[in-house]
Amino acid sequence: MEELAILGGKPVRETKIYYGRQWVDEDDVAAVAETLRGNLITCGPKVQELEKELAAYTGAKYAVAVSNGTAALHCACLAAGIKEGDEVITTPLTFAASANCALYVGARPVFADINPETYNIDPKSIRSKITERTKAVVAVDFTGQCVENEAIRKICDEYHLVFIEDAAHAIGSAYNGKKVGSLADMTCFSFHPVKTVTSGEGGAVTVNNEELYKKVVLAHTHGITHDAELMEDAPHEGPWYYEQISLGFNYRMTDFQAALLISQLKKLEFFKARRKEIVNRYNEAFADTPGLIVQKEIPESDTCRHLYIIRLDLDKLNCTRREFFDAMSAENVQCQVHYVPTYYFPYYRKLGYEKGLCPNAEKVYEGIMSIPLYPKMTDEEVEDVIHAVKKIIAWYTK
Ligand SMILES: *Cc1c(COP(=O)(O)O)cnc(C)c1O
């Protein structure tokens, strides 16, 4: 058996590899530079062009570019009219923003449990958490795999809930042939550098309903409108005139970020194909490995995978997740854990949330870690990661 690097053996790799990394090339740099040399570096034509492209790509009627994915979620909650006293159902196995957006508008996040095989929110659990106060569901396409859109849609229709999809992981994914972005009432994207395409910081809301669209637009520009149709004090006084008709925020994206994202979108199909290639290689390498559990895929989801998660079957191993994680690090493969269940955080604890709320999510959390997955990885690097995982599994198998 190969001796683990953490115990003094030779590491699988000489240099560190990380769980995620952006792909920015000279085309992207040129697109940004061109915009910076122009007249408008914000509120210009690139943002409009991007919004058109995002709508066309996702199949949604409208898209609104915003400053980040968290702002997208906040705008969606504002547009949905969620307010104090309301409840918003979401998953705990996600980045904190999926629940924080409910708190921003004074509502209470309610955590539904996950399916222990797909790690996505379980529609049955959503159903069991509905009360008279429930206003919306924020469903996260965890790792890029589509949530059970059909079942969630049905529940939302039945109870008149707003269906918000947190697709921060899922640009490029499709459910039954329909692109993520066209399915829910509002879909929120993030373009942070660890995500599949990036604008540095950035996000977007896609939406089909015109009324909701207008509300998202207002929410991301101070609640201020130049649209005469929306104004209350007509006729308006002159060309300079605009009105603030609600309380919004400045969540605009800049034009040079939009230029970067337009350029990134040209590579999205290639990114998706390369990510799929790596995921397939990992799946094949890890299938039927005692001690390892592979995330299950639902057949409806054509997944552009953002994260590859291995789950340790700790009953079959003589190590803790922490020991496995540190051993991977010593082999020079730097993993990450996505995510600490949101309600474990002190801030949530102080709001009255307690451990035990979502047993499946808690159990899954104990064994998971994300291994490197990004299109720039070479085949050799992919094999190094597999080598490291298998070496450590072999060492610790009971
Ligand atoms: C990244 C992420 C967000 C927040 O996006 P930002 O652009 O970082 O604000 C929200 N939800 C999920 C699931 C994410 O992964």
Side-chain angles (χ1 to χ4, degrees), residues 225-227 231 235-243:
T225 186
H226 295 262
D227 182 348
M231 289 185 193
H236 65 80
E237 299 170 23
W240 68 86
Y241 188 71
Y242 55 77
E243 270 180 14

Side-chain angles (χ1 to χ4, degrees), residues 101-161:
C101 62
L103 294 175
Y104 292 160
V105 294
R108 184 161 180 90
V110 171
F111 295 98
D113 209 349
I114 60 165
N115 175 317
E117 292 185 314
T118 65
Y119 313 152
N120 265 333
I121 194 165
D122 180 354
K124 284 196 299 292
S125 183
I126 294 177
R127 216 174 253 283
S128 76
K129 304 280 169 142
I130 292 173
T131 72
E132 275 146 41
R133 294 166 174 253
T134 310
K135 192 76 189 258
V137 174
V138 175
V140 180
D141 302 306
F142 185 64
T143 73
Q145 170 165 223
C146 296
V147 289
E148 293 178 53
N149 272 276
E150 222 173 278
I152 297 172
R153 176 85 269 165
K154 199 156 159 258
I155 294 169
C156 289
D157 286 349
E158 204 177 316
Y159 292 93
H160 306 289
L161 310 178

Side-chain angles (χ1 to χ4, degrees), residues 47-60:
V47 170
Q48 285 169 24
E49 187 182 329
L50 170 65
E51 289 175 341
K52 280 209 186 79
E53 286 210 6
L54 280 172
Y57 179 78
T58 58

Side-chain angles (χ1 to χ4, degrees), residues 67-73 93-98 140-142 166-169 188-192 194-195 200-203 306-307 338-339:
S67 47
N68 56 67
T70 306
L73 286 162
L93 198 65
T94 181
F95 183 61
S98 312
V140 180
D141 302 306
F142 185 64
D166 179 345
H169 296 182
C188 300
F189 294 99
S190 165
F191 308 121
H192 183 278
V194 298
K195 310 290 162 74
E201 297 282 352
H306 162 54
L307 296 171
H338 298 94
Y339 295 88

Side-chain angles (χ1 to χ4, degrees), residues 30 70 102 106 124 135 154 174 178 184 196 199 204 207 211 250 257 263 293 310-311 349 362 365 374 389:
T70 306
K124 284 196 299 292
K135 192 76 189 258
K154 199 156 159 258
K178 282 186 83 182
T196 300
S199 52
V207 49
E211 202 178 319
N250 179 357
Q257 287 174 303
S263 177
I293 301 165
I310 57 169
R311 182 177 169 205
R349 207 164 56 230
E362 295 182 13
Y365 164 66
Y374 50 89
V389 171

